[in-house]
Amino acid sequence: MAGDLTSRVLDLLSESNGPLLTADAFPTTPFATVKSALDRLGSREMVVYKTIEREEAVLTEEARGIAANGSHEAKVFEAVRKAVEGLKIGDLPGIVGKESAKVGQGKAFKAGWIKKEKDVLRANTDSIVDTTREQLQTIDQTKSHPDAKVISDLRKRKLVTMQKVISFEVTRGPKFAKELVKEETDLTAEMLASGAWKDVHLKPYNFKSKGAPTPSGALHPLNKVRHEFRQIFFEMGFEEMPTNRYVETGFWNFDALFVPQQHPARDLQDTFYISDPPRADKPRRDPSEEAHILGGSGSRPIAEGKLDLDYEQYWENVKEVHENGKYGSIGYRYPWKEDESLRLVLRTHTTAISTYVLHKLAANPRPARYFSIDRVFRNESVDATHLAEFHQVEGVIADFGLTLGGLIGFMEVFFAKMGIHKLRFKPAYNPYTEPSMEIFGFHEGLDKWVEIGNSGMFRPEMLEPMGLPKDMRVYGWGLSLERPTMIKYGVKNIRELLGHKVDLNFVESNPAVRLEKE
């Protein structure tokens, strides 16, 4: 189609001394076809063209009906005029239609065409001029109207819409000719050998043309920020914990962390419980992860006999510390239930993984640093800042002689690597840490302090039942992955970041993130 149009453009230009307007010459030809033909001729310098943008008035579907059959008010007048004895108001919709009766009656009254006597309509004149119909017919033919107020009024009545139209003014170029000369795209060996290259027209390179987009995969913004967090942890000597268990028992998720069985966090409105199977086995050895936890790089050789962890004793220790107290604690002093501890839940925090790993560490107590970044689940109402599932970043440090001051100092170093240098710490409560602190950072963009994490030192009631030494202390802290991602990428609604409402263009177009840089 574009090839045929190039010849027609050249013919019309050769017959005319002035510029060619495509809107007049090719009124029904699609824009893309016209543009393709002009680009083809323009690349050969056979024509020169410039773009003309203008707005045209276009009739709506209702307006096209009025232009063909008359306005609503004209239909009402004609129906009333034909009724010699007058027309009852209730009969009008049945004659002209509900829409025409509703709209046209008021306009006919306003124009003085009809009058009302009780419930009867009568004609007030013998003939009328259907101005609206004439205006719409003019616009349909010329795509405009000499009176701008008419266009404005018809737009308010939603009879006319404005549409941007792009056309071109075409003139002869420096290499204008009546026929399109074929251009060769390649210089071949045969042309060089025969000398034909001297006579052929070679197509010039278009260095302004854009290449075809190459489809490729893209990392989700959460994965980009997750990568940065992992790099920070690795730089600071941490080992990543296995987080492949979304389903945990109440024992690992709550009881082993010294969370009482009556705690509100264990209610149905806060936690997702698994109905089938109704309960799990008691804690037992898991060979698949033993090598990862105990034989990681950099760990010292495990002493003979320390591989055997007594899970039954651990179970009894946890039960005892809840019911009666142990290790210097008075406990919660309530009847601890085995069935409650073996209920299956979607893990509510990755601290369940930290507990599992620290218990393994009891087989070979030594300084260690672990971290995890993975999905957790809470039975929460979904809104702009909350989802039923999100990602938790967690770190734990086990060593001898740790103090609260050391935790504060470490937090300052850790968050500085994310570009957060102003921190505040507020006392808080967690069932499994004492002391506990909420961490606040000053957000330069928002110009205010925002909560960025939670931290504390794990309680003896959590650590000593595992078999860890009395003098071993463990730091623990955590934060969500979504909050720093939302801040870095300017996302205000978390549902635009995670879930079915995520825009794939947003995923593909966003750059990599560097947490230490703005």
Side-chain angles (χ1 to χ4, degrees):
M1 184 68 179
D4 298 336
L5 193 63
T6 53
S7 300
R8 292 170 59 193
V9 170
L10 294 175
D11 289 342
L12 290 172
L13 281 174
S14 64
E15 296 169 1
S16 172
N17 293 325
L20 174 69
L21 299 177
T22 59
D24 298 333
F26 316 109
T28 60
T29 305
F31 170 82
T33 304
V34 175
K35 183 71 165 59
S36 176
L38 295 180
D39 284 343
R40 188 179 180 190
L41 294 171
S43 66
R44 292 165 169 78
E45 299 183 13
M46 298 179 72
V47 300
V48 177
Y49 67 91
K50 65 179 180 180
T51 304
I52 302 173
E53 292 186 5
R54 70 179 190 282
E55 279 196 331
E56 288 186 350
V58 180
L59 302 188
T60 63
E61 186 176 348
E62 180 185 358
R64 286 194 293 271
I66 292 174
N69 305 312
S71 65
H72 300 302
E73 53 268 34
K75 290 179 182 178
V76 169
F77 170 78
E78 192 61 27
V80 173
R81 187 185 65 80
K82 287 181 179 179
V84 180
E85 301 298 327
L87 182 64
K88 287 187 175 183
I89 295 175
D91 296 337
L92 184 61
I95 298 173
V96 300
K98 290 183 180 180
E99 185 66 22
S100 292
K102 178 182 176 182
V103 177
Q105 191 176 159
K107 292 190 176 296
F109 275 125
K110 186 176 180 180
W113 296 350
I114 60 174
K115 61 184 178 179
K116 179 181 176 184
E117 294 178 357
K118 295 184 179 180
D119 63 341
V120 177
L121 299 174
R122 299 185 185 280
N124 214 20
T125 183
D126 295 329
S127 62
I128 61 168
V129 176
D130 193 350
T131 307
T132 302
R133 183 183 187 183
E134 291 178 352
Q135 290 170 345
L136 292 175
Q137 287 175 338
T138 300
I139 292 171
D140 191 33
Q141 294 170 2
T142 64
K143 305 301 180 185
S144 184
H145 195 279
D147 189 347
K149 189 175 183 304
V150 171
I151 296 287
S152 177
D153 291 341
L154 292 175
R155 288 183 68 184
K156 291 178 182 178
R157 293 178 61 181
K158 296 184 179 180
L159 297 176
V160 166
T161 60
M162 301 308 293
Q163 177 178 293
K164 181 182 285 188
V165 178
I166 300 176
S167 60
F168 303 97
E169 182 184 281
V170 189
T171 56
R172 298 182 183 185
K175 297 182 180 179
F176 176 78
K178 291 185 178 182
E179 293 183 0
L180 188 66
V181 179
K182 181 182 177 182
E183 291 183 328
E184 299 292 342
T185 57
D186 296 305
L187 182 63
T188 64
E190 289 77 10
M191 290 181 187
L192 294 173
S194 64
W197 63 271
K198 298 177 182 179
D199 302 317
V200 298
H201 291 270
L202 294 171
K203 185 177 181 179
Y205 284 108
N206 182 6
F207 293 103
K208 296 181 180 179
S209 65
K210 295 182 179 180
T214 304
S216 62
L219 285 176
H220 191 282
L222 280 172
N223 280 334
K224 295 175 183 178
V225 177
R226 180 179 182 272
H227 173 76
E228 286 298 301
F229 271 112
R230 292 182 80 240
Q231 294 304 115
I232 290 173
F233 278 116
F234 288 139
E235 287 173 8
M236 302 182 78
F238 283 75
E239 180 182 355
E240 190 165 17
M241 294 182 280
T243 56
N244 55 345
R245 291 203 304 264
Y246 287 168
V247 178
E248 286 285 4
T249 63
F251 177 83
W252 290 113
N253 200 77
F254 296 118
D255 292 297
L257 277 76
F258 198 53
V259 178
Q261 293 183 344
Q262 299 85 6
H263 196 278
R266 301 177 78 149
D267 292 343
L268 287 173
Q269 62 263 32
D270 292 317
T271 300
F272 291 109
Y273 283 91
I274 306 298
S275 60
D276 186 20
R279 57 176 280 165
D281 297 335
K282 287 184 177 181
R284 53 182 169 79
R285 185 172 181 271
D286 188 357
S288 63
E289 292 172 2
E290 199 82 24
H292 175 82
I293 301 301
L294 295 177
S297 60
S299 65
R300 67 190 186 193
I302 300 166
E304 187 67 29
K306 288 192 176 182
L307 276 174
D308 295 328
L309 292 167
D310 191 340
Y311 285 89
E312 186 61 34
Q313 183 60 49
Y314 182 36
W315 172 270
E316 292 299 327
N317 289 343
V318 171
K319 177 182 178 181
E320 184 70 16
V321 82
H322 277 256
E323 280 192 335
N324 306 312
K326 200 173 181 181
Y327 311 107
S329 170
I330 63 173
Y332 291 117
R333 291 173 290 178
Y334 70 95
W336 186 81
K337 296 179 182 179
E338 178 179 308
D339 288 344
E340 181 67 22
S341 186
L342 296 180
R343 293 178 70 183
L344 289 166
V345 302
L346 287 178
R347 68 181 180 211
T348 60
H349 48 191
T350 53
T351 315
I353 302 297
S354 302
T355 308
Y356 178 83
V357 172
L358 289 172
H359 177 240
K360 292 289 188 293
L361 186 66
N364 180 21
R366 66 193 187 282
R369 296 185 175 195
Y370 299 116
F371 80 93
S372 64
I373 307 173
D374 211 335
R375 192 166 297 192
V376 296
F377 307 87
R378 305 272 177 89
N379 191 4
E380 294 188 356
S381 299
V382 176
D383 56 30
T385 57
H386 295 86
L387 289 177
E389 55 181 294
F390 58 96
H391 294 78
Q392 183 174 329
V393 181
E394 179 160 334
V396 294
I397 298 178
D399 207 339
F400 300 93
L402 297 179
T403 64
L404 182 64
L407 173 60
I408 293 174
F410 183 84
M411 290 295 95
E412 290 174 346
V413 174
F414 177 79
F415 283 101
K417 288 181 175 290
M418 290 186 279
I420 302 173
H421 299 281
K422 298 179 181 179
L423 294 181
R424 285 179 179 175
F425 299 90
K426 175 184 175 183
Y429 168 75
N430 286 314
Y432 44 88
T433 57
E434 180 61 36
S436 306
M437 300 182 299
E438 291 177 348
I439 308 168
F440 291 81
F442 187 78
H443 191 283
E444 301 289 348
L446 299 176
D447 195 31
K448 67 177 183 178
W449 293 91
V450 296
E451 184 180 352
I452 56 176
N454 212 319
S455 65
M457 300 183 71
F458 287 128
R459 298 176 66 109
E461 293 96 330
M462 173 185 164
L463 300 178
E464 291 190 35
M466 300 175 179
L468 289 169
K470 285 182 178 294
D471 58 345
M472 175 166 272
R473 303 288 182 265
V474 180
Y475 295 152
W477 72 94
L479 62 151
S480 78
L481 182 65
E482 280 75 8
R483 175 165 289 184
T485 305
M486 292 173 70
I487 292 173
K488 288 294 180 182
Y489 284 97
V491 177
K492 296 182 179 179
N493 192 329
I494 193 172
R495 289 168 288 192
E496 297 173 2
L497 183 67
L498 188 65
H500 66 284
K501 293 186 177 181
V502 175
D503 183 0
L504 292 181
N505 290 326
F506 164 74
V507 174
E508 292 176 355
S509 60
N510 272 289
V513 65
R514 293 292 180 266
L515 291 177
E516 74 279 6
K517 298 178 181 178
E518 294 299 327

